[in-house]
């Protein structure tokens, strides 16, 4: 704990006491400010394989998946806590490598590590991370969508799932090109913190969710929370087309692959042209992929007409990575 405190312990305005007492202390006295809290657990052999991710990658990814949830609320991440359970052998160097990967992303995102726990695991590695974030310009919920809203996604869909496929086939390294992008997306996802906060602050986002389990599953979640249906225009999806070279279907990967950690956002149709003009160049690409409709269920618009799109993304109790 002392090593983590000295080398990786966070500092920030508002933080009164970080790691080192029984609990962290921070100040939240701003009027109109709302806070969000989220936690996510990564369990070896369920959520990741130790042979496929280096400790640095796991440190990055454990933080990234939580930052992605904060981004999907339109909040700015501020504080993080991490609880690790590790097998005895090599624990000290493993912890230092984990936090080296963590720190790169934490610094860029302005997140201070303010606490956590260390324990020994009789089995595999377990990592539980909690992130707190704040917003002074409103929170964006999954439930805010209305029929007629246009749906947009950031980035490319299916890249991380293609990376998982490469890992399963024993491919751990790639110097460049599509394989490197896919492995990078799987090991070091880039949470869309800036975009999420911008979409909320600028008032374009009416409903938002991050894509952790695949578009088909996460869009169904947004629809169900908003009591609407949706139509997805398959031809507009920002696909990772290179995956077809590995015998994979880029459309299936985009719909059901998961772990993209991109944002899916519903925007009132009347505001969409302004969004497309105002969207900042330095952000990842933003693609319009469909719209919310009255009723229930998600359908896919294809060249041969609409068909139902069942949620087939990742499910912890009916699938495994
Ligand atoms: Mg989420």
């Amino acid at each position: 704990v002392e090593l983590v405190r000295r080398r990786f312990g966070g500092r920030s305005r508002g933080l009164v006491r970080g790691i080192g007492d029984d609990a962290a202390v921070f100040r939240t006295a701003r009027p109109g400010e709302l806070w969000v809290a989220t936690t996510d657990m990564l369990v070896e052999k369920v959520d990741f394989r130790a042979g496929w991710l280096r400790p640095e990658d796991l440190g990055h990814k454990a933080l990234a998946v939580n930052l992605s949830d904060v981004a999907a609320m339109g909040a700015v991440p501020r504080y993080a806590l991490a609880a690790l359970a590790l097998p005895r052998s090599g624990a000290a160097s493993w912890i230092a490598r984990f936090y080296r990967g963590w720190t790169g992303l934490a610094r860029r995102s302005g997140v201070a590590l303010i606490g956590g726990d260390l324990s020994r695991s009789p089995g595999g590695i377990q990592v539980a991370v909690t992130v707190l974030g704040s917003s002074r310009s409103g929170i964006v919920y999954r439930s805010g969508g209305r029929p007629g809203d246009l749906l947009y996604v950031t980035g490319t869909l299916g890249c991380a799932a293609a990376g998982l496929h490469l890992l399963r086939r024993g491919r751990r390294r790639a110097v460049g090109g599509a394989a490197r992008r896919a492995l990078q997306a799987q090991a070091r996802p880039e949470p869309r913190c800036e975009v999420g906060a911008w979409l909320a602050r600028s008032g374009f986002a009416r409903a938002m969710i991050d894509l952790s389990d695949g578009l088909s599953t996460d869009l169904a979640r947004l629809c169900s929370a908003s009591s609407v249906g949706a139509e997805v225009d398959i031809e507009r999806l920002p696909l990772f087309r290179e995956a077809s070279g590995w015998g994979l279907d880029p459309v299936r990967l985009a719909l059901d692959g998961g772990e993209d950690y991109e944002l899916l956002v519903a925007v009132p149709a009347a505001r969409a042209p302004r969004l497309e003009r105002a969207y900042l160049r330095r952000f990842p690409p933003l693609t319009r992929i469909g719209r919310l409709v009255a009723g229930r269920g998600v359908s896919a618009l294809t060249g041969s007409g609409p068909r139902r799109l069942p949620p087939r993304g990742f499910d912890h109790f009916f699938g495994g990575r």
Side-chain angles (χ1 to χ4, degrees):
V1 172
E2 184 53 22
L3 172 135
V4 171
R5 186 190 68 78
R6 268 189 288 118
R7 289 179 57 187
F8 306 107
R11 275 170 255 287
S12 83
R13 204 167 35 83
L15 184 64
V16 180
R17 179 67 51 91
I19 300 169
D21 211 307
D22 294 303
V25 180
F26 59 87
R27 209 174 262 123
T28 67
R30 297 173 168 196
E33 188 173 71
L34 291 175
W35 282 78
V36 303
T38 182
T39 191
D40 210 289
M41 192 160 188
L42 295 177
V43 176
E44 186 177 349
K45 295 195 175 81
V46 176
D47 298 292
F48 70 94
R49 308 235 160 223
W52 294 354
L53 285 186
R54 298 174 306 147
E56 290 88 344
D57 296 331
L58 195 64
H60 173 105
K61 190 165 178 174
L63 179 59
V65 300
N66 282 279
L67 295 183
S68 181
D69 280 325
V70 171
M73 304 300 287
V76 176
R78 304 276 297 275
Y79 300 118
L81 301 98
L84 310 177
L86 306 170
R88 195 195 300 269
S89 62
S93 71
W94 194 96
I95 291 166
R97 293 181 62 190
F98 175 91
Y99 279 112
R100 269 205 290 279
W102 166 293
T103 298
L105 178 59
R107 287 225 176 96
R108 270 190 287 134
S109 319
V111 180
L113 179 67
I114 61 168
D117 195 16
L118 294 169
S119 186
R120 191 160 72 82
S121 165
I125 298 163
Q126 289 152 52
V127 178
V129 173
T130 299
V131 172
L132 306 173
S134 66
S135 170
R136 296 175 78 186
S137 52
I139 296 293
V140 182
Y141 299 93
R142 294 178 183 184
S143 55
R146 301 283 176 272
D149 287 354
L150 299 183
L151 292 170
Y152 289 84
V153 290
T154 58
T156 304
L157 304 184
C159 199
L164 182 63
H165 170 86
L166 293 181
L167 288 171
R168 284 202 175 117
R169 292 209 309 204
R171 180 111 187 242
R172 309 279 169 82
R173 300 263 178 276
V175 180
R180 181 170 166 75
R181 272 180 67 208
L183 290 170
Q184 188 77 6
Q186 170 58 222
R188 299 247 174 173
E190 197 52 47
R192 303 310 190 184
C193 297
E194 256 198 295
V195 184
W198 182 86
L199 285 168
R201 200 169 57 237
S202 56
F204 290 115
R206 189 133 76 173
M208 192 148 59
I209 189 170
D210 70 314
L211 298 178
S212 52
D213 297 332
L215 179 66
S216 66
T217 294
D218 292 315
L219 174 55
R221 289 179 177 139
L222 186 145
C223 285
S224 134
S226 295
S227 305
V228 295
E231 292 172 353
V232 175
D233 193 343
I234 297 297
E235 306 216 313
R236 296 193 60 94
L237 291 176
L239 301 178
F240 182 61
R241 294 188 188 279
E242 292 89 336
S244 60
W246 307 324
L248 301 170
D249 175 3
V251 174
R252 277 262 79 86
L253 290 180
L255 292 173
D256 305 330
E259 296 195 284
D260 288 315
Y261 300 106
E262 298 292 350
L263 295 174
L264 169 67
V265 56
V267 177
R271 305 216 61 201
R274 289 237 341 248
L275 165 63
E276 293 187 18
R277 282 197 304 275
Y279 193 76
L280 302 182
R281 254 168 223 273
R282 63 185 159 87
F283 288 164
L286 185 73
T287 310
R288 178 162 54 79
I289 59 157
R291 61 196 192 101
L292 298 180
V293 297
R296 286 294 161 103
V298 177
S299 55
L301 303 181
T302 63
S304 51
R307 60 181 171 82
R308 240 183 70 70
L309 190 67
R312 288 218 182 94
F314 183 72
D315 187 306
H316 275 99
F317 295 99
F318 297 99
R321 288 202 166 107

